[in-house]
Amino acid sequence: ERILLQCARRRTDTRGGGVVRLYKNNTDFEGHSYGCHENFLLSREIPFQQVIDELLPFVVTRQIFAGAGKVSVEQDHKARASTYQLAQRSDFFEVIASVDTMHRRPLVNTRDEPHANSARYRRLHLIVGDANMCEYATALKVGSTALVIDLLEVGELPACELVDPIGALKEISRDESLCWSLGLAGGRSSSALELQMLIMERAEALFKGRDEETDWILEAWSSTLESLGRDPQELVGRLDWVTKKWLLDAFVESEGLDWEKPEDRIWLQSQDLEYHNIDPAEGLFLMLEDQGQVERLITDEQVLKAMVEPPRDTRAYFRGKALQKFAD
């Protein structure tokens, strides 16, 4: 975000007029969506169909804590326009698995470029997630997914089959009752929260005490699910969909707006967009962060250092060092 903010400001300076603004979000509210891609190394030994089948319940239900929140519904004229959704990306998925990322988007992308020993590893490329502003939500999203992959690799991921994964993704996102009900194979039913608790408890039983980072993820995952079941308002400043809804509700009250009125929803969508503005002088999330109302996991000093010194075990480190040495 900070690197791109520098770029936007420099581009503004060279334009001779107007301001370049960048938004870290996933929709323009006009039917277009752009992704937030995650990449994980995965053992090549596991058949990919098994990966798809076993990951789907987690991938579909993860939005209850990883969603960035969204005013209204796109791609579905039958849906209630005034709906507030958990996630921005959920409107845009059509198939279970494919290599596409722009058309007929899949819940599990089949792109496989491991950037490692391809005989041992495959690349799991997830495009189903939202771009989070909250550091806490980002860490929990990526950390919980990494632990789920660990469960998958040791054959301990709880088995359950969703009747309609694509339908469930959309229904969970749009369920303002927060019941998040799910249909399972065999006529059984569950909820997104119950499935997440089941997976989290299995990870806790196997991996608790493994290392400090794992224990942080497990504690964050467990406490977040408990708060979601009790009162999501406890997660203002930690989860984006909760924080954004809290802001929007305050805006509705102060301006006397009505979610059901199309002209008022345009205002709300503009506030939704400004939540994701990466300029601290304008962005609503960054305003909250500046006021100390958002939970930080890293310091500004660490951010500034990371802008010029990427972690040594990343591709960014190799790229940066190559550019330093061979810039000419």
Side-chain angles (χ1 to χ4, degrees):
E1 291 171 40
R2 304 293 172 84
I3 290 170
L4 288 169
L5 179 61
Q6 279 189 357
C7 296
R9 286 173 172 170
R10 290 181 185 180
R11 184 70 183 110
T12 294
D13 292 342
T14 64
R15 282 175 50 85
V19 177
V20 175
R21 290 185 172 87
L22 295 179
Y23 298 88
K24 184 186 177 187
N25 78 332
N26 302 97
T27 180
D28 64 355
F29 301 106
E30 297 289 344
H32 306 108
S33 181
Y34 25 92
C36 173
H37 294 197
E38 301 157 65
N39 297 280
F40 300 87
L41 275 185
L42 179 64
S43 171
R44 179 69 67 180
E45 294 179 1
I46 308 171
F48 196 61
Q49 187 58 52
Q50 179 184 341
V51 173
I52 295 170
D53 294 342
E54 294 191 15
L55 274 183
L56 280 178
F58 173 77
V59 167
V60 167
T61 58
R62 185 183 68 165
Q63 60 186 313
I64 66 173
F65 57 78
K70 178 180 176 179
V71 175
S72 199
V73 175
E74 294 176 89
Q75 310 290 85
D76 185 355
H77 299 300
K78 296 178 182 178
R80 191 167 63 90
S82 60
T83 300
Y84 178 77
Q85 296 197 65
L86 297 183
Q88 298 198 339
R89 287 285 273 172
S90 296
D91 283 342
F92 298 95
F93 288 83
E94 299 176 60
V95 298
I96 300 295
S98 86
V99 73
D100 287 335
T101 59
M102 300 290 288
H103 307 285
R104 290 180 57 78
R105 293 183 180 92
L107 294 179
V108 180
N109 188 255
T110 56
R111 179 183 296 174
D112 184 11
E113 303 162 1
H115 301 290
N117 184 338
S118 58
R120 293 180 56 196
Y121 299 105
R122 71 164 60 248
R123 171 188 182 186
L124 179 64
H125 183 228
L126 292 181
I127 66 169
V128 71
D130 285 0
N132 297 102
M133 298 299 291
C134 290
E135 292 175 12
Y136 187 94
T138 301
L140 178 55
K141 174 180 71 176
V142 177
S144 61
T145 306
L147 290 185
V148 166
I149 290 170
D150 287 347
L151 287 173
L152 180 66
E153 289 184 326
V154 297
E156 290 288 344
L157 192 54
C160 52
E161 182 183 348
L162 304 182
V163 171
D164 178 11
I166 301 291
L169 184 78
K170 300 178 194 301
E171 288 166 13
I172 291 169
S173 182
R174 301 172 188 180
D175 183 2
E176 294 181 287
S177 74
L178 308 186
C179 293
W180 304 319
S181 299
L182 283 166
L184 303 180
R188 296 179 298 128
S189 62
S190 184
S191 73
L193 186 60
E194 288 169 344
L195 278 186
Q196 282 290 325
M197 288 291 289
L198 179 68
I199 297 168
M200 181 277 299
E201 289 169 354
R202 183 69 59 86
E204 189 175 53
L206 266 68
F207 303 132
K208 188 174 182 179
R210 183 172 68 177
D211 55 60
E212 185 177 343
E213 184 175 88
T214 297
D215 285 351
W216 184 91
I217 296 164
L218 289 168
E219 170 57 31
W221 197 358
S222 175
S223 64
T224 297
L225 295 178
E226 289 173 4
S227 290
L228 286 171
R230 188 168 52 236
D231 179 9
Q233 286 289 103
E234 296 175 7
L235 298 163
V236 170
R238 286 187 167 189
L239 302 189
D240 285 295
W241 76 263
V242 178
T243 306
K244 184 187 289 182
K245 184 63 162 57
W246 175 69
L247 269 178
L248 291 173
D249 284 341
F251 184 64
V252 165
E253 185 174 349
S254 67
E255 299 294 331
L257 303 181
D258 184 346
W259 282 83
E260 300 298 331
K261 292 182 178 179
E263 61 271 24
D264 288 358
R265 275 200 307 278
I266 293 173
W267 272 46
L268 292 170
Q269 287 178 334
S270 72
Q271 296 298 297
D272 186 335
L273 187 62
E274 287 306 318
Y275 178 89
H276 298 271
N277 190 327
I278 67 169
D279 188 337
E282 299 179 345
L284 296 182
F285 172 83
L286 294 176
M287 173 192 72
L288 291 178
E289 187 176 84
D290 186 59
Q291 294 172 356
Q293 297 189 67
V294 170
E295 182 163 340
R296 296 289 304 272
L297 302 183
I298 53 175
T299 64
D300 286 335
E301 290 73 23
Q302 288 174 309
V303 173
L304 289 171
K305 181 179 179 182
M307 289 172 70
V308 293
E309 293 183 32
R312 295 178 64 91
D313 59 351
T314 63
R315 285 187 287 151
Y317 178 83
F318 177 80
R319 283 197 300 264
K321 290 300 179 183
L323 284 170
Q324 283 178 16
K325 188 168 184 177
F326 302 112
D328 293 341

